[in-house]
Amino acid sequence: MPVISVPQGFNEDELFIDLQSIFGRSLFLKCEGFNFAGSIKLKAATEMVEAAERDGRLRPGAILVESSSGNLGVALSMLAASKGYHFLCVTDARCNLSTRWMMEALGSQVHVIAEPSATGGFLGARLDYVRALCSSDERYVWLNQYTNPGNWRAHFRTTAPAIARQFPGLDVLFVGVGTAGTLMGCARYFRYWHRPVRIVAVDSVGSVAFGGTPGRRMIPGLGASVPPALLDESYVDDVVRVDEADTIRACHRLAGKGFLFGGSTGTVVSGAMDWLDRQDAPGLTAVAIAPDLGERYLDTIYQTNWLHGLYGEDVLSSDEAAVGSRSVA
């Protein structure tokens, strides 16, 4: 059975699972899906909302608006409901249905973009909609997770220190890339830590976060159709790109051992195992960040018809012991 590390005085920021017994290689997975919003995005959402309140940008009667593929939208829905704000989430057709229902159940409005823009994909179309909305109605307050420094500061203050406390001998940290908030907060923290930590960014094939050719991406969360404004590549030591089929295989392999994680986690785990397999350095202390759990993906990556329709009937039939085909930048 996987080893679950639960420190004394446990809180949800300090739960780690060692994947040694599942993948044959030690990798501690930091489980971020056990807060009320169900994902790591609650940290960034809280930081950005509180900063906007301190700055006077967010006042009673304001309408929060944000572009999100899902998890940040849920986190902001919870915060808006608890603080008495209205919230509009602008998402796209890839957003999981259960995620949309959750936001609506919390009292938020959800606007779904049906068509990608010619140059910026679905993200570009979402951003165009938000900009047009804010320019036409001053009631709307856009936190803009893609450029907001609160996005990375949340992880500089919370996520990275929690990892450092638990793993003082940390050698390598794997972080998925979407807005790059988690990546940059952790990377900045460990850059100035007392010992060197290798930072490996995990991206999706088809994402242009680190350049390359844009391609189809159907699993929301990681990856970007435009380069992340928060990303500073000087803090990143390596980049691993993961094909969505490998993401799905990793998720199902974890689920087969009793751990239901989301697509972003499958991507990070798959990329981390690939990177570790390439190293001739046994005994590394390695940690990967799992952004969310899998309940919101039951109608997609855990649904047979959805998988077969997009990836073919043999997507899960290949040898589960194989790492799969990935590229390293």
Side-chain angles (χ1 to χ4, degrees):
M1 285 293 292
V3 176
I4 301 177
S5 174
V6 182
Q8 266 192 324
F10 163 74
N11 64 59
E12 70 274 2
D13 203 32
E14 296 176 324
L15 177 61
F16 297 81
I17 298 171
D18 187 358
L19 302 182
Q20 171 80 47
S21 66
I22 301 177
F23 291 92
R25 184 180 293 281
S26 182
L27 174 68
F28 289 94
L29 195 60
K30 186 179 191 308
C31 303
E32 291 281 351
F34 291 97
N35 59 55
F36 283 110
S39 83
I40 196 171
K41 289 292 189 177
L42 182 60
K43 295 176 176 178
T46 301
E47 186 85 14
M48 292 188 295
V49 166
E50 290 180 351
E53 289 174 331
R54 288 194 302 270
D55 295 343
R57 293 175 53 223
L58 191 54
R59 297 184 293 271
I63 304 173
L64 276 170
V65 61
E66 186 58 86
S67 158
S68 170
S69 61
N71 283 334
L72 183 70
V74 172
L76 286 173
S77 293
M78 295 190 70
L79 289 174
S82 67
K83 290 173 173 286
Y85 300 121
H86 296 289
F87 173 55
L88 169 64
C89 180
V90 180
T91 188
D92 60 61
R94 297 170 301 175
C95 179
N96 299 322
L97 184 60
S98 59
T99 301
R100 289 161 50 187
W101 285 347
M102 188 175 298
M103 289 188 280
E104 290 170 348
L106 289 164
S108 299
Q109 290 182 287
V110 181
H111 179 83
V112 180
I113 299 293
E115 296 293 334
S117 74
T119 55
F122 277 112
L123 176 56
R126 282 165 23 199
L127 296 180
D128 289 343
Y129 184 89
V130 173
R131 290 189 187 101
L133 191 66
C134 292
S135 65
S136 65
D137 191 333
E138 62 181 14
R139 294 177 303 164
Y140 287 96
V141 176
W142 182 22
L143 298 174
N144 195 353
Q145 62 166 324
Y146 308 98
T147 62
N148 194 319
N151 191 346
W152 67 261
R153 285 177 184 153
H155 304 290
F156 186 93
R157 292 195 310 103
T158 62
T159 309
I163 295 170
R165 285 192 300 270
Q166 187 74 354
F167 298 94
L170 182 65
D171 294 305
V172 56
L173 177 65
F174 299 93
V175 189
V177 183
T179 64
T182 307
L183 173 66
M184 295 313 303
C186 292
R188 284 188 168 97
Y189 181 91
F190 285 112
R191 172 67 62 88
Y192 302 106
W193 204 35
H194 65 278
R195 61 186 306 276
V197 174
R198 198 166 184 83
I199 302 296
V200 179
V202 183
D203 197 11
S204 301
V205 170
S207 165
V208 301
F210 291 90
T213 304
R216 184 188 77 165
R217 292 180 296 110
M218 299 304 298
I219 300 174
L222 299 187
S225 52
V226 297
L230 295 176
L231 178 63
D232 182 343
E233 293 187 41
S234 69
Y235 286 90
V236 178
D237 296 297
D238 286 304
V239 179
V240 181
R241 292 183 174 91
V242 177
D243 188 86
E244 286 192 336
D246 291 319
T247 292
I248 291 162
R249 293 183 189 112
C251 286
H252 281 258
R253 191 163 178 178
L254 287 162
K257 296 298 183 179
F259 294 97
L260 194 70
F261 285 105
S264 297
T265 298
T267 301
V268 173
V269 168
S270 182
M273 288 301 171
D274 177 65
W275 189 94
L276 290 168
D277 283 347
R278 295 171 186 267
Q279 309 306 307
D280 185 20
L284 287 176
T285 298
V287 171
I289 297 176
D292 62 2
L293 301 179
E295 291 92 339
R296 295 172 193 173
Y297 300 82
L298 293 177
D299 57 344
T300 55
I301 62 176
Y302 294 106
Q303 212 282 327
T304 301
N305 291 338
W306 188 87
L307 289 179
H308 290 176
L310 289 173
Y311 304 100
E313 294 187 3
D314 62 346
V315 64
L316 296 176
S317 63
S318 52
D319 182 5
E320 286 193 347
V323 174
S325 57
R326 308 177 188 90
S327 60
V328 179

